[in-house]
Amino acid sequence: MYQNQGYRPPSYQPPQGQYSPQGQYIPQGQYIPPRMPGPGMPPQQRPPQKRGRRRVKSSLLWMIAAIVVVAIGVAVLIGVNRYQHQKAAYDAMVAEVTAHENVFAPNIYVDGINLGGMSAQQGLDTVLAAVQTRQNSWNLSLTYQGHTFVTLNNDTLGVNTDIAQVYQLLESLYRKGKAGTYPERKQELDALRATPCYAYTTQSEMTDQGIDHILAQIQGQLTYPASDAYLAYFYPDLDDPFIIQPEGYGSSLDVAALKAQILEMAATGKSGNLEIMPQVIAPKVTSADIRKQVSLMYKAVTPVASSSTPDRTSNIRVAFSRLNGQIVEPGNTLSFNKVTLNRTLKNGYKYAIEYDSGLETMGVGGGVCQASTTLYLAAILSGMEIVEREPHADPVSYTIFGQDATVVYGQTDFIFRNTSGGKIYITAHVEEIKKNNYQCIVRIYGPSMGDTSYKLRTAQVETIPAPLTVSYQEDKSHQYVTYKDEEPYLIRKARDGYISETYLQRYISGQLVEETLVNRDTCKARSAVYLTGTLDREE
């Protein structure tokens, strides 16, 4: 038996009945009346017939009957055959439709996957696996100089597939070819074979919230201002007295541009690493700029005579200790006497040899003039403006006459002005070259002079004859002469004087471009001086 058939095959019964004497077919159950005699004939008596004609007529009837029987048989055979064919086609249709009752119909595609022939669970598992693969198929690592900030994926961007929608989609596709009569279901299956059904699971749109939060955190780490280099410390006793805080480069991250790049790579499914390229912000002041502002402008060196006593050398050190580390602002002046203080024992100075009118004397602070002279040489050869300077009356051992600067506290000072355009820094030391052999060094640092340098040229332009008179002085200390009747002791020979001129030469790239007269100094002529005794001899 078939259920839910739209088509019912016809029923068939073999023919039953009998034929009349005249050869006519009488269905079963129908009454056949007896043959009645004709007029004038006796009852139940047939009219006489010719035997030959009767025989022919009987054969014809039998032939007709046979033909009818054959025709009926053929008709029956045709009907049976047709029924069998119809039944076979119907059974085949039912079998085909029934074969898809528990599987997806053919040519049903979801995300490009052919689910035809799969069970409902197989189709679901296959599609969910593909969805998961798609979900995990995109990964993008945001890196910066070897450091990975974060690895982005579809979850990070809020891109997800609604699983409920997947279930609903597969359920609707699974019902294809399973509703209606068998012919209707067969028709739907044939339609799918001719025209496949394509369906797709959908992903949610990218959201900004997750990525904006991540990029804001990265921006906080990669966005910072540039820092200028600056002079942190000035340590005048170091070989390099300047501690410079180096500059720092700033960084600025264009979050909008980075976000657009990420979204483009996500949309195209391009995975891998994305190197973040923040904009570098250069500082306005670099270490090189600072170094140009504290370059060595000039180093002046004067030798300390081997005859210099330890106390004299100590006086130079005391003066230098107060000069060492001095910073002079642009346009300001430096006074040697103001910086080094009055030459008193209280201020750390000691008694040492001084020169007065060409004669040695003892005084507190003897030797300080070598400190002032060395500073003068450093200042003038650094291009500073000399405001006040006086020469010694006599030549000194540590420099050329005309290139010196004497000082007497409260009377004679050495003052220069900083005309460099920037701050200048002074270091001053007495350095030991070798055992008991010293030199005075003053260095001035400030704005780089570039290719410019200075030199001094001194020339004697006039001679002053020595006086013909002789001077006598009492040797009150009795160092050389004690008694009045002793031979006077010559302590200073007569000496011609002279006038010298000193020029400041300016060079650019080693070429002399300018020469300026800076000093016209007079070295006084001196008469001979003798020491005489002060005591009479006892008789």
Side-chain angles (χ1 to χ4, degrees), residues 410-481:
Q411 299 180 24
T412 306
D413 198 1
F414 166 61
I415 301 173
F416 72 89
R417 187 185 308 280
N418 176 11
T419 55
S420 67
K423 293 181 181 180
I424 61 170
Y425 304 82
I426 300 172
T427 66
H429 300 91
V430 175
E431 298 182 357
E432 187 174 23
I433 304 172
K434 56 184 179 180
K435 188 174 181 179
N436 297 324
N437 190 353
Y438 301 93
Q439 63 183 9
C440 297
I441 300 180
V442 173
R443 296 178 178 88
I444 293 182
Y445 298 89
S448 173
M449 297 192 299
D451 295 331
T452 300
S453 61
Y454 296 93
K455 293 182 180 179
L456 289 175
R457 182 179 71 85
T458 300
Q460 293 184 11
V461 296
E462 185 178 339
T463 301
I464 302 173
L468 299 178
T469 58
V470 176
S471 298
Y472 295 92
Q473 295 181 2
E474 293 181 344
D475 187 0
K476 296 179 180 180
S477 63
H478 301 158
Q479 181 178 1
Y480 300 101
V481 182

Side-chain angles (χ1 to χ4, degrees), residues 113-115 118 120-131 170:
I113 302 171
N114 188 355
L115 302 184
M118 294 186 185
Q121 188 63 46
Q122 288 174 336
L124 178 63
D125 293 342
T126 302
V127 172
L128 289 180
V131 167
L170 292 183

Side-chain angles (χ1 to χ4, degrees), residues 230-245 290-291 293-299 323-327 423-429 431 441-446:
Y230 62 90
L231 180 61
Y233 300 102
F234 172 43
Y235 290 122
D237 293 329
L238 297 179
D239 290 339
D240 180 1
F242 302 103
I243 306 299
I244 297 174
Q245 176 65 38
I290 298 297
R291 185 61 65 180
Q293 294 301 310
V294 292
S295 62
L296 179 62
M297 304 180 74
Y298 194 79
K299 179 180 76 172
L323 284 169
N324 192 40
Q326 288 291 318
I327 301 174
K423 293 181 181 180
I424 61 170
Y425 304 82
I426 300 172
T427 66
H429 300 91
E431 298 182 357
I441 300 180
V442 173
R443 296 178 178 88
I444 293 182
Y445 298 89

Side-chain angles (χ1 to χ4, degrees), residues 34-182:
R35 179 179 176 89
M36 299 299 295
M41 296 181 65
Q44 300 180 346
Q45 192 175 27
R46 295 180 180 178
Q49 296 181 0
K50 292 184 177 181
R51 182 172 295 182
R53 182 179 298 176
R54 187 175 181 181
R55 184 180 297 117
V56 171
K57 188 175 181 179
S58 177
S59 297
L60 180 60
L61 293 173
W62 282 106
M63 183 179 298
I64 293 171
I67 292 171
V68 170
V69 170
V70 170
I72 293 173
V74 170
V76 170
L77 291 175
I78 291 173
V80 170
N81 187 56
R82 180 179 299 170
Y83 168 76
Q84 290 176 343
H85 278 289
Q86 289 176 344
K87 184 177 184 301
Y90 185 81
D91 290 344
M93 176 190 67
V94 171
E96 179 184 353
V97 171
T98 305
H100 293 90
E101 284 185 350
N102 297 316
V103 296
F104 281 92
N107 277 352
I108 292 181
Y109 291 84
V110 175
D111 293 341
I113 302 171
N114 188 355
L115 302 184
M118 294 186 185
S119 68
Q121 188 63 46
Q122 288 174 336
L124 178 63
D125 293 342
T126 302
V127 172
L128 289 180
V131 167
Q132 188 63 35
T133 300
R134 179 180 64 191
Q135 186 71 11
N136 299 332
S137 64
W138 181 76
N139 292 280
L140 184 65
S141 296
L142 302 183
T143 61
Y144 176 69
Q145 296 182 353
H147 170 71
T148 299
F149 279 106
V150 67
T151 298
L152 301 175
N153 51 37
N154 285 317
D155 290 334
T156 308
L157 300 182
V159 178
N160 292 287
T161 300
D162 187 353
I163 301 301
Q165 181 264 343
V166 174
Y167 276 91
Q168 183 178 1
L169 174 64
L170 292 183
E171 183 180 358
S172 66
L173 295 175
Y174 185 73
R175 288 198 298 265
K176 286 184 177 294
K178 296 179 177 63
T181 64
Y182 284 117

Side-chain angles (χ1 to χ4, degrees), residues 452-455 504-508 511-515:
T452 300
S453 61
Y454 296 93
K455 293 182 180 179
L504 180 65
Q505 298 176 322
R506 185 164 68 93
Y507 290 81
I508 296 180
Q511 299 295 319
L512 178 63
V513 296
E514 184 180 17
E515 185 174 75

